[in-house]
């Protein structure tokens, strides 16, 4: 059977990882480690650090803080992702190796179709997220620059006002500062794009493996089924029973491999998920509040695309997290679709043990505090709206 390399769908993300300094594999270039540390420092730690210092020098009113906080929460989430990749390189390599292992390779034509469909979805999803992300990012970066070139208006910094600098210094170095902020925003967008789509791709493959296992369990007795009228429980030969037990045990081992794979994903991304979902509630709240303040039509277009991307960043993983839980629970029902009733007592005992184990659904959690599920997504959106209402109340009191 054709060998299917499942990790091929991550090739674009892996190429970007190398540019972004978070490449988990060995690199022949001896200076790559220096490049990696320097790149991450300049566009993650220094970039975020300057934005943090800026808050201390802002005027003490809500409108100014909200304006500066639009990107700040996103940058904190990106920082957690970059740090995760820097400290968990070996585990990320292990994730990719498991995907291409023999255990996760489909053995039937239908299995090949399931895995191929998962690969195609991952490639298509990366392209969609990339198109939306590039559009939103370029609109925000280029709009003030085009306005500055086409009309006699000053060039405005697009992510942070750098209030700790005097107006004279900012005016003198406006173009280098603008270029650093614009490129830094683009780099952070690339981190988000290529880490989030990779994480979602892993979840898609978990679902695909659960579907492969469901197919295996449904057909576990097919080659050992006797003709109607001659079927009796005591007529099953020992050799046939051993074959059935072997097939069932293989399915159980496959299930345990999927469970360990989910645990490894959670081990790597658990803290990152907690940070991202916590920041997402703040980001959506701040964007909603910013819609209530005056701005240009172009800025409203940017806000609309930005809040859409932020919402999708948490909704899509929650959706597929629910799918993983549903698919794993369905295994305990799918196993009874096989011809289990005439089988031996030993086979039925093994079957019962598997059902008991499968009744506990697989899930991926954020820092052991919340599972990726639609219920979590609903809670986050409710929290975002509650924070938005609180900000509106504070604004009305200031007025």
């Amino acid at each position: 059977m054709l060998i299917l390399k499942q990790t091929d769908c991550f090739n674009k993300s892996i190429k970007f990882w190398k540019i972004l300094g978070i490449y988990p594999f060995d690199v022949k270039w001896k200076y790559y480690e220096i490049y990696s540390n320097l790149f991450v420092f300049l566009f993650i730690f220094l970039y975020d650090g300057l934005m943090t210092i800026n808050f201390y020098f802002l005027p003490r009113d809500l409108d100014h803080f909200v304006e500066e906080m639009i990107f700040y929460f996103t940058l904190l989430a990106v920082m957690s992702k970059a740090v995760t990749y820097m400290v968990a390189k070996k585990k990320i390599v292990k994730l990719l190796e498991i995907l291409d292992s023999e255990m996760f390779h489909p053995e039937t034509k239908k299995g090949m179709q399931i895995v191929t469909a998962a690969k195609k979805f991952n490639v298509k999803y990366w392209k969609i997220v990339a198109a939306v992300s590039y559009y939103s990012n370029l609109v925000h970066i280029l709009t003030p620059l085009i306005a500055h070139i086409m009309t006699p208006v000053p060039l405005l910094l697009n992510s942070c006002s750098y209030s700790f600098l005097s107006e004279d210094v900012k005016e003198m170095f406006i173009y280098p500062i603008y270029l650093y902020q614009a490129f830094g925003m683009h780099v952070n967008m690339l981190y988000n794009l290529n880490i989030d789509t990779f994480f979602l791709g892993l979840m898609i493959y978990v679902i695909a493996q659960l579907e492969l296992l469901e197919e295996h369990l449904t057909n576990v007795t097919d080659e050992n089924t006797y003709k109607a009228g001659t079927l009796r429980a005591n007529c099953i030969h020992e050799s046939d029973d051993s074959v059935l037990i072997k097939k069932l045990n293989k399915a159980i081992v496959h299930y345990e491999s999927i469970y360990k794979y989910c645990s490894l994903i959670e081990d790597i991304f658990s803290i990152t998920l907690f940070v991202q979902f916590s920041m997402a509630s703040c980001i959506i709240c701040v964007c909603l509040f910013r819609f209530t303040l005056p701005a240009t039509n172009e800025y409203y277009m940017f806000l609309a695309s930005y809040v859409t991307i932020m919402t999708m960043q948490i909704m899509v993983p929650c959706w597929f997290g629910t799918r993983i839980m549903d698919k794993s629970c369905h295994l305990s029902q799918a196993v009874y679709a096989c011809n289990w009733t005439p089988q031996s007592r030993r086979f039925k005992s093994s079957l019962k043990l598997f059902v008991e184990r499968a009744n506990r659904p697989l899930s991926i959690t954020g820092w052991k505090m919340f599972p990726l599920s639609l219920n979590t997504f609903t809670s986050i959106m409710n929290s975002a709206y509650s924070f938005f209402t609180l900000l509106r109340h504070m604004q009305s009191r200031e007025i």
Side-chain angles (χ1 to χ4, degrees):
M1 181 176 289
L2 179 66
I3 299 298
L4 190 63
K5 192 172 175 62
Q6 299 184 51
T7 55
D8 284 348
C9 65
F10 299 128
N11 284 345
K12 289 184 179 179
S13 292
I14 292 173
K15 289 178 181 178
F16 276 107
W17 292 352
K18 184 177 288 188
I19 297 171
L20 297 172
I22 54 173
Y23 192 66
F25 301 98
D26 293 330
V27 180
K28 293 182 180 179
W29 186 36
K30 62 181 179 179
Y31 299 112
Y32 181 78
E33 192 71 23
I34 298 174
Y35 163 80
S36 171
N37 293 331
L38 183 61
F39 190 93
V40 172
F41 171 76
L42 286 176
F43 297 106
I44 296 295
F45 294 106
L46 180 61
Y47 197 86
D48 294 10
L50 292 175
M51 290 195 73
T52 303
I53 295 171
N54 179 67
F55 282 108
Y56 181 78
F57 294 88
L58 286 176
R60 295 301 185 261
D61 64 86
L62 187 60
D63 291 359
H64 280 88
F65 270 87
V66 167
E67 187 72 33
E68 300 288 340
M69 282 163 40
I70 288 179
F71 297 108
Y72 185 67
F73 292 124
T74 303
L75 295 177
L76 292 180
V78 173
M79 179 187 289
S80 71
K81 297 172 189 178
V83 171
T84 294
Y85 267 63
M86 296 291 284
V87 301
K89 290 182 178 181
K90 292 183 179 179
K91 292 180 180 179
I92 292 171
V93 171
K94 187 176 180 181
L95 278 177
L96 295 170
E97 290 175 347
I98 292 174
L99 274 179
D100 289 329
S101 65
E102 184 179 354
M103 177 59 67
F104 276 27
H105 193 273
E107 298 179 345
T108 63
K109 184 178 179 180
K110 184 178 179 182
M112 290 289 288
Q113 292 173 349
I114 291 172
V115 175
T116 302
K119 283 186 64 176
K120 289 181 178 179
F121 178 87
N122 287 338
V123 172
K124 184 181 295 185
Y125 182 75
W126 186 93
K127 291 180 179 179
I128 293 172
V129 176
V132 176
S133 299
Y134 271 93
Y135 164 77
S136 177
N137 187 62
L138 291 177
V139 166
H140 186 67
I141 289 175
L142 297 179
T143 298
L145 182 61
I146 294 173
H148 174 67
I149 295 172
M150 301 295 292
T151 60
V153 296
L155 181 60
L156 301 176
L157 299 179
N158 47 29
S159 65
C160 180
S161 63
Y162 283 180
S163 299
F164 52 86
L165 297 177
S166 66
E167 292 299 324
D168 292 339
V169 172
K170 284 195 287 186
E171 185 176 352
M172 184 181 301
F173 298 101
I174 185 65
Y175 293 109
I177 294 174
Y178 178 87
L179 182 62
Y180 174 69
Q181 287 195 4
F183 189 72
M185 284 183 63
H186 188 72
V187 166
N188 277 269
M189 181 272 291
L190 290 176
Y191 277 113
N192 254 337
L193 166 64
N194 293 288
I195 294 177
D196 288 351
T197 53
F198 173 68
F199 175 74
L200 184 78
L202 297 177
M203 296 182 69
I204 296 299
Y205 275 133
V206 170
I207 295 172
Q209 289 301 316
L210 290 172
E211 290 178 352
L212 292 179
L213 183 56
E214 181 180 344
E215 183 204 12
H216 187 176
L217 291 169
T218 302
N219 302 316
V220 72
T221 58
D222 279 6
E223 295 178 2
N224 298 275
T225 303
Y226 292 84
K227 294 181 181 179
T230 64
L231 185 62
R232 285 194 229 165
N234 59 1
C235 72
I236 299 179
H237 299 294
E238 182 64 28
S239 59
D240 296 323
D241 184 57
S242 297
V243 171
L244 286 177
I245 294 295
K246 186 176 180 180
K247 291 177 68 177
L248 183 59
N249 287 342
K250 184 177 181 181
I252 295 172
V253 171
H254 189 188
Y255 181 84
E256 287 300 317
S257 298
I258 298 173
Y259 172 77
K260 291 178 181 178
Y261 189 68
C262 283
S263 298
L264 182 58
I265 294 174
E266 183 177 306
D267 183 39
I268 296 172
F269 294 100
S270 180
I271 296 178
T272 295
L273 288 172
F274 175 79
V275 174
Q276 176 163 327
F277 277 61
S278 300
M279 294 299 103
S281 180
C282 300
I283 293 167
I284 295 170
C285 165
V286 169
C287 287
L288 290 176
F289 183 80
R290 186 61 185 83
F291 270 113
T292 66
L293 303 177
T296 62
N297 291 333
E298 292 80 6
Y299 192 76
Y300 283 134
M301 289 174 59
F302 160 74
L303 278 179
S305 61
Y306 188 69
V307 75
T308 300
I309 293 172
M310 292 300 105
T311 304
M312 293 295 291
Q313 270 191 340
I314 58 174
M315 187 190 74
V316 175
C318 285
W319 169 268
F320 286 107
T322 301
R323 287 284 307 278
I324 289 174
M325 296 169 69
D326 292 343
K327 283 287 183 182
S328 60
C329 285
H330 187 63
L331 292 177
S332 60
Q333 304 171 21
V335 71
Y336 287 115
C338 72
N339 189 25
W340 64 274
T341 52
Q343 309 307 331
S344 68
R345 183 174 181 180
R346 183 183 169 200
F347 178 87
K348 293 176 182 178
S349 296
S350 298
L351 198 66
K352 184 178 179 181
L353 289 174
F354 174 80
V355 170
E356 288 296 324
R357 176 64 184 86
N359 279 332
R360 299 194 298 273
L362 298 177
S363 65
I364 299 173
T365 63
W367 214 359
K368 305 293 183 182
M369 296 184 66
F370 57 84
L372 293 187
S373 66
L374 290 176
N375 289 334
T376 299
F377 173 73
T378 303
S379 299
I380 290 174
M381 297 304 291
N382 287 336
S383 298
Y385 184 76
S386 299
F387 292 149
F388 166 69
T389 305
L390 178 61
L391 287 178
R392 288 289 291 169
H393 177 68
M394 292 174 62
Q395 184 188 40
S396 64
R397 291 184 62 184
E398 288 184 358
I399 296 175

